[in-house]
Amino acid sequence: MAACGGKEDDTLTMATNAEFPPYEYYENDEIVGIDVEIATAIAEELGMKLEVEDMAFDSVIPAVSSGKADIGVAGMTVDPDRLESVNFSDTYADASQVIIVKEDSAIAGPADLEGKSIGVQLGTTGDTYSSENVKDAKVEQYSKGFEAVQALTQGKIDAVVIDSHTAKEFVKEAEGLKILDEAFTEEEYAIGIAKDNDELLEKVNKALKSLKESGKLDEIVAEYIKADAE
């Protein structure tokens, strides 16, 4: 692994959960997506080579804080709980959590989730917000987002709360589902970096600034989120 400034500082190790299209997912045997391309561009700015490690979403922050990975890039929202374990870079994407339901569902917005069974991906903000903010909700946690969508299709749960762009990918692939118009939350994604690695944090922020100013960041996002971008 490459700790920036160490002997092997030619490799930047990225911890992610490759179950989150269009941010990170498998195409054949390769992990691709918005986050992978952004991290690759950052690594290039730093004169490094990116290495991607796939793991469970709730293992990403522990991997970064323990030094097993240099950066955590997994469609992660900056929130107070995560800030206790890692620092975050400047944000690189705006996102929202949305609600997926069956097309004939009576659920029309966030208020209708009260007392319902909600499928979420374990450790995501959808998981946290549903557990903390929906009264009497029965929150069902899944290790992968598509497993929650599958359970919804099979009628095992009433709704799924997940990132808007990921929701579009899943709904495109599944029949009889729809995304509600009203967003569940609005949030921003950033890159997790170990608290004792201020040098890398500074370098990543500098690289992100350069990618934003050159238009490269927008190019990467537009490549994956085309006409249906919000």
Side-chain angles (χ1 to χ4, degrees):
M1 191 211 85
C4 223
K7 286 181 185 173
E8 298 177 274
D9 57 4
D10 60 332
T11 303
L12 186 70
T13 310
M14 165 182 161
T16 194
N17 172 241
E19 301 284 349
F20 199 56
Y23 292 95
E24 41 267 318
Y25 58 98
Y26 277 96
E27 201 168 78
N28 301 318
D29 293 331
E30 190 186 358
I31 301 172
V32 298
I34 292 171
D35 284 348
V36 180
E37 289 211 29
I38 289 172
T40 300
I42 287 170
E44 284 172 5
E45 288 270 332
L46 303 183
M48 301 168 85
K49 186 182 70 175
L50 186 73
E51 185 178 290
V52 184
E53 300 277 350
D54 184 21
M55 60 190 70
F57 183 80
D58 58 351
S59 299
V60 172
I61 284 180
V64 173
S65 59
S66 67
K68 287 179 184 170
D70 296 317
I71 58 175
V73 199
M76 279 196 302
T77 309
V78 181
D79 71 24
D81 289 344
R82 291 172 182 163
L83 280 166
E84 287 179 15
S85 306
V86 294
N87 287 327
F88 277 100
S89 70
D90 295 334
T91 59
Y92 64 85
D94 293 323
S96 58
Q97 296 283 317
V98 296
I99 302 162
I100 307 175
V101 294
K102 284 192 167 183
E103 283 176 350
D104 59 357
S105 174
I107 297 169
D112 298 327
L113 290 174
E114 186 177 324
K116 299 289 193 295
S117 55
I118 306 168
V120 296
Q121 185 177 2
L122 179 66
T124 61
T125 47
D127 180 3
T128 310
Y129 293 159
S130 298
S131 302
E132 291 178 358
N133 299 311
V134 183
K135 194 179 174 188
D136 299 328
K138 187 183 178 192
V139 179
E140 300 284 352
Q141 298 169 317
Y142 298 86
S143 59
K144 298 174 182 178
F146 86 86
E147 290 173 353
V149 175
Q150 218 167 26
L152 175 62
T153 305
Q154 293 163 356
K156 294 177 180 175
I157 54 176
D158 300 311
V160 171
V161 172
I162 202 160
D163 171 87
S164 60
H165 297 304
T166 303
K168 284 173 189 168
E169 296 290 327
F170 287 148
V171 168
K172 208 190 297 177
E173 300 296 322
E175 281 184 30
L177 301 182
K178 65 179 181 181
I179 299 167
L180 298 183
D181 292 335
E182 190 181 344
F184 188 57
T185 67
E186 299 289 345
E187 52 198 44
E188 295 177 317
Y189 291 160
I191 296 167
I193 295 169
K195 282 198 168 289
D196 59 359
N197 205 343
D198 289 338
E199 183 192 350
L200 181 58
L201 180 64
E202 195 177 315
K203 287 181 175 178
V204 166
N205 279 337
K206 193 176 174 185
L208 272 175
K209 186 170 185 271
S210 171
L211 293 170
K212 284 175 185 174
E213 287 173 354
S214 69
K216 175 74 174 169
L217 196 66
D218 288 339
E219 263 176 49
I220 291 170
V221 174
E223 185 185 330
Y224 288 87
I225 302 167
K226 297 189 171 70
D228 62 355
E230 291 178 346

